[in-house]
Amino acid sequence: MKQSRTQSALIQNTLLPLLYRNRKEELDRLYPRMLTLLSYSMVGMEEGMQCLQELQREGIRMQMIVDEALTERYSLPSLINETLLDDIILSTDWKQNDTDYSYLFIPVLSASLVTKILNFDDCHPFSRFILEWLFQGKKVGALSIGSDPFQKAWGRRGYDGMSPLLKTEMKSRLQKLRGYGVELLEAGQVSGWVRKAGTKRRQAPLIARGDVEEAHQQHRSIIHISVDTIITPLADDLARQYGIQIHRR
């Protein structure tokens, strides 16, 4: 269920560069910029959209490119409602001339997109852009659930009757994609991937949702942090919800 505390990604992406004018390094450290490519898959749509909600609440500056074919199944207002992202461009209107992003993320990795990337399909806009990023050694992450038949979501959709050979072949394609440089992620790993991938760039430590969740599970009532630690909005909300104090020292 969508939480009440949201803010317009479009407004955030417009105003933050103005607020941090001439301080781009600080802006990128506090609010990393991510491009997301959203297309359809038989499995993983709900999980992918929920992941985008979490990233939006974590303070990631995101822009979403939507495969035009997806609009045959989802209206743009419904996509905004499901992802909390209103900075959306249709793939047919996408110029690909803005490459100033820290991360490229595929929230729904379909089997067909995996095939296009492995076949070096530079005619499809998504696979071409992903390949360009991989060629340049940039950070590319993807939720694997849409192409991994060993995950439980496939069984819940009734797709648990496939042959062992078919499942093994799909899994081997994913492993090959990982070898190309794509970070394959579970739904709960994306925020951690962003933090880990940005370690060399980030100058200050960060407290995110996972840190507060861990403190809550350990029945801790206070988290001690350094004066320069960054607290994400979602982490701050959860700390208040759990009654956990965040103390700077």
Side-chain angles (χ1 to χ4, degrees):
M1 181 179 296
K2 184 173 68 173
Q3 295 187 10
S4 59
R5 179 172 178 177
T6 62
Q7 57 180 296
S8 167
L10 186 59
I11 292 175
Q12 175 180 266
N13 292 343
T14 302
L15 293 183
L16 280 175
L18 297 176
L19 292 172
Y20 286 84
R21 184 178 297 147
N22 301 324
R23 294 184 291 159
K24 184 178 183 303
E25 183 177 346
E26 182 182 2
L27 172 62
D28 289 342
R29 173 169 58 84
L30 295 173
Y31 303 95
R33 194 166 183 233
M34 173 183 288
L35 181 66
T36 64
L37 307 179
L38 184 64
S39 57
Y40 177 75
S41 176
M42 295 185 297
V43 178
M45 294 300 300
E46 180 179 352
E47 292 83 356
M49 291 182 181
Q50 288 176 349
C51 183
L52 291 177
Q53 290 186 21
E54 180 174 334
L55 288 171
Q56 171 74 353
R57 296 190 186 101
E58 287 280 359
I60 308 297
R61 287 182 294 153
M62 289 191 292
Q63 185 175 55
M64 182 166 66
I65 312 300
V66 175
D67 189 346
E68 188 179 32
L70 186 62
T71 59
E72 298 175 3
R73 300 173 180 270
Y74 296 87
S75 66
L76 286 181
S78 68
L79 286 174
I80 292 172
N81 183 65
E82 293 295 332
T83 64
L84 305 186
L85 272 170
D86 58 1
D87 195 348
I88 296 177
I89 301 175
L90 290 177
S91 59
T92 50
D93 300 326
W94 184 30
K95 304 303 182 182
Q96 298 191 27
N97 54 2
D98 183 359
T99 59
D100 187 22
Y101 300 94
S102 302
Y103 308 93
L104 177 62
F105 180 56
I106 302 100
V108 183
L109 181 64
S110 65
S112 61
L113 183 56
V114 170
T115 299
K116 288 181 174 65
I117 298 170
L118 294 181
N119 288 339
F120 299 97
D121 184 348
D122 58 0
C123 294
H124 187 275
F126 281 10
S127 63
R128 179 176 65 250
F129 194 77
I130 293 168
L131 286 168
E132 288 177 355
W133 268 60
L134 293 174
F135 293 163
Q136 296 174 57
K138 294 183 177 180
K139 306 175 187 70
V140 180
L143 285 189
S144 61
I145 187 171
S147 298
D148 186 355
F150 288 91
Q151 296 206 27
K152 293 180 180 179
W154 285 72
R156 292 196 296 267
R157 291 296 300 272
Y159 299 142
D160 53 355
M162 66 180 70
S163 69
L165 180 60
L166 179 55
K167 294 177 69 173
T168 302
E169 174 62 22
M170 293 180 67
K171 188 70 173 182
S172 67
R173 285 172 175 251
L174 274 180
Q175 296 304 321
K176 189 174 183 180
L177 190 66
R178 185 194 299 275
Y180 282 7
V182 176
E183 189 76 24
L184 300 177
L185 305 161
E186 304 292 332
Q189 298 177 329
V190 180
S191 294
W193 168 67
V194 173
R195 294 173 60 190
K196 179 180 178 182
T199 298
K200 294 181 179 179
R201 176 179 48 82
R202 185 174 285 114
Q203 297 177 351
L206 180 75
I207 289 290
R209 173 184 177 178
D211 301 298
V212 178
E213 291 282 8
E214 182 180 357
H216 177 63
Q217 293 170 3
Q218 296 174 355
H219 306 289
R220 293 159 54 195
S221 60
I222 187 168
I223 299 175
H224 293 281
I225 62 175
S226 59
V227 293
D228 62 338
T229 298
I230 299 164
I231 306 172
T232 67
L234 182 55
D236 187 51
D237 284 348
L238 281 178
R240 295 175 187 274
Q241 178 183 331
Y242 292 148
I244 297 175
Q245 299 180 37
I246 299 180
H247 177 69
R248 296 185 184 273
R249 54 185 177 179

